[in-house]
C-alpha cells in the first residue's frame, strides 16, 4: 500500500499533463506540433520496423562505453588523490578547471580528433562522467573517520590491507553517489553528442526526424524515450545505493 501511495501521484500528474497537452494542441489546431496520439503512432511505427531499437541500442552502447572507461580511470585517481595530499594538491586545481567546461564545448575538437563516428560521442561521455567521479571519490576518502585508520595502524595492519579493508569499503557510498551523478550527466550529454554522428542514436534520431519533413511526432517521441530511459538508469543506481555493502557506514 505504501508503495502504491508513492506511485500514483506522479502517474496522475503525468496523465494530467498529457491531457493538457492534447487539449492545447487540439484547441490551437496546430499543424506542426503533434498530439500525444500522433507521438504514440510514430513511436509504434519506428518500433515495428526496428529503427527505434537500433537508436536506443546505439545510445546505450555509447553511454556504457564512455561511462565504464570513466569509472576505470576516475576511481583509482580519486582514491589516489584522497590518500596522498601531494597528488591532491597537484591534480585538484587542474580537474577543477576542466570540470566546469561543458562537454558540449568539446564537440568541435571531438569532430577534429575522432571524426563523426562512435569515438566522438564516447569521448564526450567520458569527459562528462570522469570529473564528478574523481571529485566525489577523493572527497569520500577525505571524510573517512580517522579513528578507523588509526585503529588499523595500531594493530599493525599493512598499508595495502588497510586500503582494501578500511579505505575502500568506507568510501564505497561516495563512489556510488559519484557514479550516479556521472551516469545522469552522461545520458544527458549523449543526446547532444549524437548530433554529430552519421546514422544512429536518439540524438541522431531527433535531428533526422526534424530534417525529414519536420516529423515532430518522432522528435517528441525521442525526447520522451530519453526521459524514460534516464529515469530507469537513475532507479538502477538508486537500487545500487541501497545495497547493505554500500550503505554500511550509515547503518544504525
Amino acid at each position: 500500500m505504501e508503495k502504491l501511495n508513492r506511485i500514483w501521484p506522479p502517474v496522475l500528474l503525468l496523465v494530467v499533463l498529457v491531457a493538457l497537452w492534447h487539449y492545447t494542441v487540439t484547441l490551437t489546431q496546430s499543424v506542426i506540433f503533434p498530439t500525444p496520439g500522433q507521438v504514440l503512432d510514430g513511436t509504434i511505427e519506428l518500433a515495428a520496423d526496428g529503427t527505434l531499437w537500433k537508436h536506443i541500442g546505439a545510445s546505450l552502447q555509447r553511454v556504457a562505453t564512455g561511462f565504464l572507461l570513466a569509472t576505470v580511470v576516475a576511481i583509482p585517481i580519486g582514491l589516489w588523490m584522497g590518500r596522498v595530499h601531494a597528488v591532491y594538491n597537484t591534480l585538484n586545481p587542474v580537474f577543477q578547471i576542466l570540470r566546469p567546461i561543458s562537454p558540449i564545448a568539446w564537440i568541435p575538437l571531438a569532430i577534429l580528433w575522432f571524426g563523426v563516428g562512435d569515438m566522438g560521442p564516447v569521448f564526450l561521455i567520458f569527459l562528462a562522467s570522469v570529473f564528478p567521479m574523481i571529485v566525489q571519490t577523493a572527497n569520500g576518502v577525505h571524510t573517512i573517520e580517522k579513528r578507523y585508520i588509526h585503529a588499523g595502524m595500531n594493530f599493525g595492519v599493512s598499508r595495502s590491507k588497510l586500503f582494501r579493508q578500511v579505505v575502500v569499503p568506507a568510501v564505497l557510498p561516495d563512489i556510488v553517489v559519484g557514479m550516479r551523478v556521472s551516469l545522469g550527466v552522461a545520458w544527458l550529454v549523449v543526446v547532444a553528442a549524437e548530433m554529430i554522428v552519421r546514422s544512429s542514436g536518439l540524438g541522431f534520431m531527433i535531428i533526422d526526424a526534424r530534417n525529414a519533413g519536420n516529423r515532430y511526432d518522432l522528435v517528441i517521441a525521442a525526447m520522451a524515450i530519453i526521459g524514460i530511459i534516464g529515469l530507469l538508469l537513475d532507479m538502477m543506481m538508486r537500487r545500487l545505493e541501497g545495497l547493505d555493502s554500500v550503505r554500511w557506514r550509515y547503518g544504525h
Side-chain angles (χ1 to χ4, degrees):
M1 192 63 174
E2 182 182 349
K3 187 175 180 180
L4 185 62
N5 289 336
R6 291 201 308 266
I7 292 175
W8 75 260
V11 171
L12 180 60
L13 177 60
L14 286 173
V15 170
V16 171
L17 291 175
V18 170
L20 183 61
W21 167 14
H22 176 81
Y23 175 77
T24 303
V25 175
T26 304
L27 185 67
T28 58
Q29 297 182 341
S30 174
V31 295
I32 296 178
F33 201 83
T35 64
Q38 290 170 328
V39 172
L40 181 60
D41 290 341
T43 305
I44 294 173
E45 173 191 335
L46 289 182
D49 65 14
T51 304
L52 179 62
W53 312 118
K54 170 191 170 185
H55 290 314
I56 291 175
S59 292
L60 288 173
Q61 183 177 9
R62 289 175 185 129
V63 168
T65 303
F67 178 75
L68 289 175
L69 285 173
T71 302
V72 170
V73 171
I75 293 176
I77 291 178
L79 292 171
W80 189 31
M81 289 173 61
R83 290 292 291 156
V84 183
H85 290 295
V87 174
Y88 182 86
N89 293 334
T90 302
L91 296 181
N92 187 59
V94 177
F95 292 151
Q96 293 300 341
I97 291 171
L98 294 174
R99 188 167 64 95
I101 301 174
S102 169
I104 308 305
W106 291 84
I107 285 180
L109 293 178
I111 295 174
L112 177 65
W113 293 337
F114 304 108
V116 292
D118 285 343
M119 284 305 300
V122 169
F123 169 72
L124 295 173
I125 291 162
F126 171 84
L127 284 179
S129 305
V130 72
F131 296 121
M133 271 193 276
I134 289 175
V135 171
Q136 187 68 36
T137 301
N139 288 340
V141 176
H142 288 156
T143 59
I144 296 174
E145 293 188 37
K146 301 301 181 185
R147 58 192 173 111
Y148 296 142
I149 306 294
H150 294 156
M153 294 174 65
N154 289 337
F155 281 103
V157 178
S158 66
R159 286 183 174 272
S160 59
K161 192 172 183 180
L162 188 69
F163 182 78
R164 291 194 312 270
Q165 298 187 1
V166 177
V167 174
V168 172
V171 81
L172 195 55
D174 295 280
I175 291 175
V176 174
V177 168
M179 291 174 65
R180 180 185 171 197
V181 172
S182 293
L183 184 58
V185 177
W187 186 245
L188 183 69
V189 167
V190 71
V191 178
E194 285 178 338
M195 292 179 179
I196 68 174
V197 300
R198 289 195 187 99
S199 60
S200 64
L202 292 169
F204 170 82
M205 176 179 161
I206 290 175
I207 295 297
D208 187 58
R210 185 199 65 184
N211 295 337
N214 290 331
R215 289 293 305 272
Y216 284 98
D217 56 332
L218 301 184
V219 171
I220 303 299
M223 292 170 63
I225 291 166
I226 289 165
I228 292 169
I229 294 176
L231 174 63
L232 294 175
L233 291 175
D234 187 68
M235 290 172 62
M236 178 184 70
M237 293 306 298
R238 288 178 77 90
R239 284 187 172 275
L240 186 59
E241 283 183 338
L243 295 176
D244 291 339
S245 58
V246 174
R247 296 192 60 84
W248 71 270
R249 192 171 61 178
Y250 307 120
H252 296 286

